[in-house]
Amino acid sequence: MEINKPDKKFQSVSIAPMHTAEHILNQTMVRMFGCERSKTSHIEKKKSKCDYFLKEAPLQEEIKKIEEKVNEVIDQNLSVRIALVPRSEVPDCVDLSKLPPDVSETLRLVYIGDYDLCACIGEHVNQTSEVGIFKIISSDYNEGKLRIRYKLVNSPYQEKK
């Protein structure tokens, strides 16, 4: 399987802002709670969801802080860039556990400024300011799993396309 080209289901530019927001949300969760990136997510144009495994439910103030931090990163207008890297040269901080066993030796890495780096096959915006405003619609915690549902508003990137 080639990972250096976007997967067809993620090639729609209409979900590029949402997909970029997912990366920022993942890194925010890692930094705030010390958890892993979401292993299960569902990314769509209008709303998306990500699941995180935490030992205890976050307080409502912490959920609000997640939203605030994601928007702070978006407002920094960070550059989003792609690099094709031999698997042997992928930095140790990149989680490769979601990759299929038949992945190519050249991996596609997505950098969001200095904030996030991960292997990814999806479409993304060019600058974080193209994401729009990140809004957590709801969250729930059950048996160690936090589900965050979110949407984007005022995305100039979505309006142009």
Side-chain angles (χ1 to χ4, degrees):
M1 174 182 192
E2 283 296 317
I3 195 156
N4 56 354
K5 292 188 246 176
D7 185 285
K8 287 182 182 178
K9 72 179 182 178
F10 295 114
Q11 285 182 340
S12 171
V13 294
S14 67
I15 67 165
M18 193 68 83
H19 198 164
T20 305
E22 177 207 10
H23 285 247
I24 298 168
L25 173 60
N26 276 326
Q27 187 57 238
T28 299
M29 293 299 294
V30 169
R31 291 178 184 209
M32 284 182 67
F33 298 97
C35 62
E36 293 185 353
R37 299 175 77 88
S38 176
K39 299 278 188 207
T40 54
S41 59
H42 188 77
I43 308 302
E44 295 291 337
K45 182 179 176 180
K46 294 187 184 221
K47 64 182 179 176
S48 297
K49 64 184 175 186
C50 293
D51 295 332
Y52 301 94
F53 294 97
L54 303 174
K55 291 181 181 173
E56 57 187 41
L59 302 171
Q60 207 48 46
E61 296 83 29
E62 291 174 308
I63 297 293
K64 182 69 177 157
K65 183 67 179 163
I66 294 165
E67 183 178 278
E68 290 170 0
K69 182 60 181 173
V70 170
N71 282 309
E72 285 174 21
V73 174
I74 290 168
D75 289 345
Q76 290 176 24
N77 195 27
L78 300 174
S79 178
V80 179
R81 70 180 182 86
I82 308 295
L84 300 178
V85 178
R87 190 178 186 133
S88 62
E89 295 177 22
V90 172
D92 290 338
C93 65
V94 177
D95 179 7
L96 301 179
S97 65
K98 285 174 68 173
L99 300 181
D102 61 344
V103 71
S104 71
E105 282 303 310
T106 300
L107 300 184
R108 184 174 183 269
L109 300 183
V110 177
Y111 294 79
I112 299 180
D114 289 333
Y115 192 73
D116 187 55
L117 166 62
C118 78
C120 184
I121 55 178
E123 287 290 332
H124 299 82
V125 298
N126 296 315
Q127 300 286 136
T128 58
S129 62
E130 296 174 290
V131 169
I133 299 168
F134 176 88
K135 295 281 185 188
I136 294 179
I137 301 167
S138 66
S139 65
D140 55 75
Y141 182 84
N142 188 12
E143 297 181 11
K145 181 171 77 173
L146 172 67
R147 174 163 287 171
I148 294 177
R149 293 171 198 84
Y150 64 95
K151 67 179 182 176
L152 302 175
V153 295
N154 298 332
S155 173
Y157 192 86
Q158 288 175 314
E159 294 166 9
K160 286 191 282 185
K161 304 297 177 203

